[in-house]
Amino acid sequence: MRHPDSARAVVIGGGVAGCSVAYHLARLGWTEVLLVERHGLTEGTTWHSAGFVGQLRSTVTQTKMIMYSAGLYPELAELTGLDPGWRGVGGLRLATTPERVEESLRLAGAAETYGLDVAVLSGAEAGERLPLLETADVRAALWLPGDGWLDPALLARALAAGAEKLGARILTGTEVTGFDIEDGEVTGVRLARAARPGAGAGTGAGAETDVSAGTAAGARTGAGAGADAEAETGAGAGTEEWSVRTGTVVIAAGAASGRLGRLAGVDIPVVPIKHQYVVTEPFGVSSSIPTVRDPDNIVYFREEAGGILVGGYIRTPEVWDTPAPLAEPRTLFPADLPKFQESWESAVRRVPALGRTEIVKVVHGPEAFTPDGEFLLGPTPVRGLWAAAGFCVHGLAAAGGVGKVMAEWITDGTPEYDLFGMDLRRFGGHARSAAWARSRALDAYSTYYDIVYPGEERTAARPLRRSPAWVRHAELGAAFGEKAGWERVNWFESNAGDGSPEGDAERGGTGAGGADRAGSGGAGSVPGVRGRGTRPEGWAGRIWSPAVRAECLATRDAAGLFDQTSFAKLEVSGPDALERLQRACAGELDRPVGSVVYTQLLNARGGIEADLTVTRLAAGRFRLVTGTAFGVHDAAWLRGHGLEVRDVTSAHACYCLWGPRALDVLGALSPDDLAFGYLWAREISVGNVPVLAQRVTFVGEFGWELYCPSEYGLTLWDALMRAGAPYGLRPGGYRAIDSMRLEKGYRVWGLDITPETTPLEAGLGFAVARDKDFLGREALLRDAGPARRLRCLVLDDPRQVCLGGEPVRIGGEPASRVTSGGYGHRVDRSIAYAYLPTHLVPGDRVQVGVTGTWADASVAAEPLYDPASERVRRLPD
């Protein structure tokens, strides 16, 4: 058969990821799709997957993708006549500690918001569902009837067959040797395959036989083939080489994705980690028993051929160190049962019958882990080159959903779901470091079954990126968090004695800040009460400090100084900069030099792709400031719409000086006129430091964002702290910012606003210039009126504090979920936000599920604090 020399899209990798992407592209009408696989289908990592499918995940997007996958199987069976390998036996998730019970209740509440069927069982009830279990120590269990497991080879085979039926072509035994790239855009893929008949080549799913989950027959053991084996099917004698012209390439090669990315000059931070599970001899176990996860004991298991398959995430994982991962098909490593001992002993305690059985098979193979344990999806810096990699943990379960969103992204420009948490662009330049990726991936693997409390910080590969004032923060006892590699202050322990009557005795652990920057809300107020400094109940009080309250009140009453150097800063310039930015941004940017505009970047559906400010520095020069983790994403979006973007994040320190005494503090250092208006920027001198001062706030108090070249950063911080001391200035952290922005109704992208929400739904219509042309305008104009709006909720009991994801009921019926929440120290209220039907008005009552209990709450007019925004707009008295 003649080799294809062109294709609309080339998908690299014949595992479930690649097969799913090819299938979904073909289903959307891209019939000229070519899938290439170096070995046979599934022979990389898919073939040895344990196949667990747990639908309930920590985010709504993850859960939606897995729920979609479960609905895909009947469709595949009907189209192909093949069994996709789905075993819908249900699943149990056990809790043996009070902390795990709390986690289970939170997960059950989240399941309600996802529309996922779940029940909370007692230990005895779990034992009734699976009599093999020893449940004396089980305090609770989640029962998920929609869970189960998959035969990975059958699923991949069905996806491949479906792709072929829809017009895609599959070549196995075909290696990618390089890419053709012109002017930063992929134009072709270079391929090679053995010229000898029967040398592993073949087309379609029919070339793949006898592949089943956990079957180690024919597997290669050891550390892999190494670099020499990489040339086995490459250029040289006995091979055929050719190029395929294409403008779209998807790297879906599992553990080999990083190597393939490097061939194109892009970084795909995949870390191959050795993962092990065992299978026992048959002992009459029914094929209908549910899957079981016992995270407190780092073990999972299910039925396999009348026995039990047992796996676990060990505390001391190992990276597969090889320059050529997956160079050999069906690679396995030698068994390492001593490392598996903790998981095996846990399994024997949970299922005593295992102690009377023999292990007959050990499957020890590579898993493609990532620095944060989440997928790597989306476009790379090379136009037309995409990634669908890092299928660690729940990759098989979500494979259908991954194919769906990738196909939508490629063909339409925007996927249905908010994918930022999986977007390859969530990482910055530091992801190029193999040492960094390795350290983070090992941490993600070893702690996979740990309870992760909201605000809990990872410590691996830190510190990395530091503000010029970092040394001063450390001297003041900063509790540091980390975001996008930046060390950021959550709060200062030096403030902890002044936030509540409890003082130092009430200090908690360290945690992450939740806010970056956003816009403004509406109007209204709720009377406050004074003196709420006690630790919140439940999870909200686990990582907590009275310092946060002290920082909020100091900012209200005097001044607060916040280091926000981590803000991503992008510059756009040129003669057509205004015209192109006007098309990209929903707000009106044709304003005088020195103006600051709060705006959004929208997709064609009107969904919010970015939330930022734009400062006009000169007629054809603009600076965009966005959230810490969003710079790479936002810059790529702008470049995709024809803009030349320069990332200047590291060139500028940024300190935010806010509060009624901020004018006194800055006036003591600057001879310049500081009375310029809100949403204006001006070049000034602060002491000896050149500064761009912007009248912008994210906390609802008078003040400025102060930008200076990074080399002046430490000098500027010291000057502001000295000048502020007589006026009661305190340094503050991100937890205080998050508290104050909730009181003002300022939105956070990724939580309150996402690509799935529009400005009209989010209450940000004021930021949209409807009389100009911009991307997404048509979708907004077609919207006769949103059916839902983001609403502020105030909980009756101030000790009950939301953290995000909690279910919301109206009249006892599921209605929504909390997007973000926390405690407002200036108004002394527990605050949450949720999208609710538009007929609800302030004063209407709802219920919010907070860790297994239902807390009463009221819809409130917003903002709760300073509803007329007088403190923001006018000069302090």
Side-chain angles (χ1 to χ4, degrees):
M1 183 179 294
R2 180 177 175 272
H3 297 320
D5 58 10
S6 67
R8 192 169 186 183
V10 174
V11 179
I12 305 169
V16 289
C19 291
S20 184
V21 172
Y23 169 76
H24 283 87
L25 282 172
R27 196 173 73 165
L28 290 181
W30 283 34
T31 54
E32 295 180 14
V33 173
L34 175 66
L35 185 148
V36 296
E37 164 56 44
R38 184 177 192 176
H39 306 299
L41 295 184
T42 80
E43 289 191 342
T45 56
T46 292
W47 73 278
H48 62 69
S49 169
F52 279 67
V53 177
Q55 295 185 80
L56 181 56
R57 296 290 163 178
S58 59
T59 71
V60 63
T61 296
Q62 292 171 346
T63 304
K64 283 179 180 178
M65 290 169 68
I66 297 175
M67 292 173 70
Y68 168 84
S69 297
L72 175 66
Y73 308 137
E75 176 184 312
L76 284 173
E78 182 178 349
L79 175 66
T80 67
L82 298 176
D83 174 14
W86 171 240
R87 308 292 182 260
V89 294
L92 288 167
R93 193 175 191 276
L94 310 182
T96 62
T97 65
E99 295 79 10
R100 190 71 68 176
V101 172
E102 282 186 293
E103 180 196 49
S104 298
L105 293 174
R106 281 184 58 84
L107 285 170
E112 177 175 306
T113 73
Y114 306 152
L116 188 62
D117 190 9
V118 64
V120 181
L121 308 180
S122 66
E125 289 170 328
E128 291 172 2
R129 288 196 177 271
L130 183 53
L132 282 171
L133 294 181
E134 168 54 56
T135 60
D137 63 333
V138 176
R139 296 171 177 261
L142 294 182
W143 165 245
L144 294 120
D147 283 5
W149 60 277
L150 282 162
D151 182 310
L154 292 180
L155 175 61
R157 186 176 295 132
L159 287 165
E164 285 191 307
K165 280 186 175 291
L166 294 173
R169 185 173 177 187
I170 298 174
L171 293 179
T172 56
T174 303
E175 181 184 357
V176 173
T177 60
F179 299 92
D180 298 320
I181 298 172
E182 298 178 9
D183 296 326
E185 185 171 1
V186 67
T187 59
V189 180
R190 298 195 293 274
L191 303 175
R193 67 185 300 179
R196 301 181 304 277
T203 62
E208 187 64 8
T209 59
D210 297 329
V211 181
S212 60
T215 301
R220 299 178 185 270
T221 60
D228 291 341
E230 188 168 359
E232 182 179 332
T233 59
T239 62
E240 299 173 278
E241 297 179 82
W242 78 102
S243 293
V244 175
R245 297 187 308 278
T246 184
T248 301
V249 178
V250 183
I251 297 176
S257 295
R259 182 188 68 82
L260 285 166
R262 287 190 292 274
L263 291 178
V266 302
D267 300 300
I268 303 175
V270 169
V271 180
I273 293 181
K274 299 177 180 180
H275 184 74
Q276 193 168 203
Y277 65 80
V278 302
V279 180
T280 72
E281 64 185 351
F283 62 102
V285 178
S286 169
S287 61
S288 65
I289 72 165
T291 64
V292 178
R293 288 175 175 80
D294 187 355
D296 288 322
N297 294 290
I298 61 169
V299 66
Y300 60 82
F301 50 90
R302 66 166 174 84
E303 182 269 342
E304 169 82 359
I308 289 185
L309 180 154
V310 179
Y313 289 88
I314 63 174
R315 299 295 187 187
T316 55
E318 293 182 26
V319 170
W320 181 24
D321 285 314
T322 175
L326 306 184
E328 292 288 329
R330 308 186 88 190
T331 296
L332 289 181
F333 311 111
D336 190 352
L337 290 179
K339 270 191 175 291
F340 196 69
Q341 184 175 357
E342 182 180 357
S343 291
W344 176 252
E345 290 178 350
S346 293
V348 171
R349 287 195 301 272
R350 187 61 61 217
V351 181
L354 287 174
R356 301 184 293 275
T357 65
E358 295 292 329
I359 294 173
V360 297
K361 180 163 58 181
V362 179
V363 179
H364 193 191
E367 292 286 344
F369 252 76
T370 66
D372 57 4
E374 192 47 87
F375 302 149
L376 299 172
L377 307 179
T380 74
V382 174
R383 293 189 303 278
L385 182 65
W386 300 74
F391 268 37
C392 48
V393 185
H394 55 278
L396 195 77
V402 167
K404 164 189 159 64
V405 297
M406 286 297 299
E408 292 168 346
W409 213 339
I410 291 167
T411 61
D412 298 333
T414 309
E416 179 182 355
Y417 308 144
D418 170 22
L419 291 179
F420 181 75
M422 306 175 188
D423 194 321
L424 178 64
R425 297 167 296 183
R426 67 188 182 273
F427 299 119
H430 53 282
R432 293 193 203 97
S433 166
W436 178 86
R438 175 188 180 123
S439 177
R440 298 290 287 224
L442 286 170
D443 181 63
Y445 181 103
S446 63
T447 59
Y448 173 64
Y449 269 158
D450 288 359
I451 297 173
V452 179
Y453 296 106
E456 186 172 349
E457 296 289 345
R458 299 297 192 190
T459 59
R462 292 177 58 190
L464 183 61
R465 307 172 77 181
R466 289 182 270 189
S467 157
W470 178 88
V471 63
R472 297 292 187 260
H473 305 335
E475 291 169 357
L476 289 169
F480 286 106
E482 181 267 342
K483 193 168 190 178
W486 282 98
E487 293 294 313
R488 311 193 314 169
V489 178
N490 288 328
W491 63 75
F492 288 95
E493 283 297 319
S494 55
N495 293 325
D498 302 304
S500 73
E502 292 81 357
D504 290 345
E506 283 295 301
R507 285 200 294 270
T510 61
D516 261 305
R517 57 188 291 134
S520 60
S525 67
V526 170
V529 294
R530 298 295 299 266
R532 291 289 184 186
T534 55
R535 184 187 298 270
E537 293 182 350
W539 276 30
R542 286 189 170 274
I543 300 173
W544 179 88
S545 173
V548 176
R549 181 177 179 84
E551 292 163 11
C552 291
L553 299 187
T555 306
R556 180 193 68 186
D557 299 333
L561 183 62
F562 301 85
D563 187 342
Q564 297 204 282
T565 297
S566 66
F567 275 164
K569 312 164 195 81
L570 310 172
E571 289 203 358
V572 175
S573 60
D576 60 351
L578 174 61
E579 179 184 355
R580 292 183 181 274
L581 274 175
Q582 281 279 69
R583 170 65 178 161
C585 297
E588 177 56 66
L589 304 184
D590 193 5
R591 295 182 177 180
V593 172
S595 61
V596 182
V597 177
Y598 168 63
T599 187
Q600 290 82 39
L601 309 180
L602 307 184
N603 57 41
R605 299 194 306 266
I608 300 171
E609 290 287 344
D611 184 70
L612 38 75
T613 58
V614 180
T615 302
R616 194 168 192 178
L617 301 175
R621 180 171 167 240
F622 299 82
R623 181 180 296 168
L624 286 64
V625 179
T626 186
T628 297
F630 309 144
V632 177
H633 170 276
D634 294 359
W637 180 268
L638 292 165
R639 291 182 184 119
H641 291 82
L643 286 144
E644 292 293 327
V645 182
R646 189 162 63 100
D647 189 328
V648 297
T649 299
S650 299
H652 305 279
C654 174
Y655 306 131
C656 298
L657 176 63
W658 292 317
R661 305 307 300 271
L663 185 60
D664 295 319
V665 175
L666 200 61
L669 294 169
S670 178
D672 297 301
D673 180 8
L674 303 177
F676 55 93
Y678 180 57
L679 293 179
W680 285 89
R682 182 171 293 179
E683 298 279 0
I684 65 172
S685 294
V686 179
N688 299 324
V689 179
V691 168
L692 175 69
Q694 298 193 166
R695 271 285 306 277
V696 176
T697 180
F698 196 49
V699 301
E701 301 288 356
F702 173 89
W704 303 269
E705 293 174 357
L706 304 172
Y707 295 86
C708 71
S710 290
E711 65 267 26
Y712 296 98
L714 184 57
T715 301
L716 180 60
W717 178 269
D718 286 345
L720 291 167
M721 286 292 289
R722 284 195 299 268
Y727 300 102
L729 176 144
R730 286 178 181 264
Y734 272 83
R735 286 297 187 84
I737 292 173
D738 196 43
S739 170
M740 291 185 280
R741 72 93 188 167
L742 285 166
E743 296 170 308
K744 285 297 293 180
Y746 295 156
R747 285 34 170 160
V748 171
W749 192 82
L751 297 177
D752 306 306
I753 51 178
T754 73
E756 298 181 46
T757 59
T758 72
L760 305 184
E761 293 173 322
L764 299 177
F766 68 90
V768 177
R770 303 191 191 202
D771 56 350
K772 71 159 196 171
D773 182 43
F774 60 87
L775 181 63
R777 179 175 181 267
E778 292 182 5
L780 295 186
L781 292 179
R782 286 194 304 267
D783 190 351
R788 60 175 188 164
R789 287 288 301 269
L790 187 64
R791 295 295 193 189
C792 177
L793 306 178
V794 173
L795 279 65
D796 291 359
D797 184 350
R799 297 168 300 175
Q800 297 284 354
V801 176
C802 294
L803 298 167
E806 292 86 356
V808 179
R809 290 179 176 177
I810 301 173
E813 296 297 322
S816 187
R817 58 189 293 272
V818 171
T819 59
S820 64
Y823 191 81
H825 293 281
R826 293 176 300 184
V827 299
D828 278 312
R829 291 288 187 268
S830 177
I831 306 166
Y833 283 83
Y835 283 91
L836 297 172
T838 52
H839 65 77
L840 266 69
V841 297
D844 285 346
R845 303 287 285 169
V846 300
Q847 286 187 310
V848 183
V850 185
T851 316
T853 63
W854 288 99
D856 292 322
S858 295
V859 177
E862 56 171 325
L864 300 175
Y865 180 73
D866 185 25
S869 290
E870 293 180 356
R871 297 175 70 93
V872 172
R873 297 178 181 277
R874 65 174 175 80
L875 292 176
D877 296 331

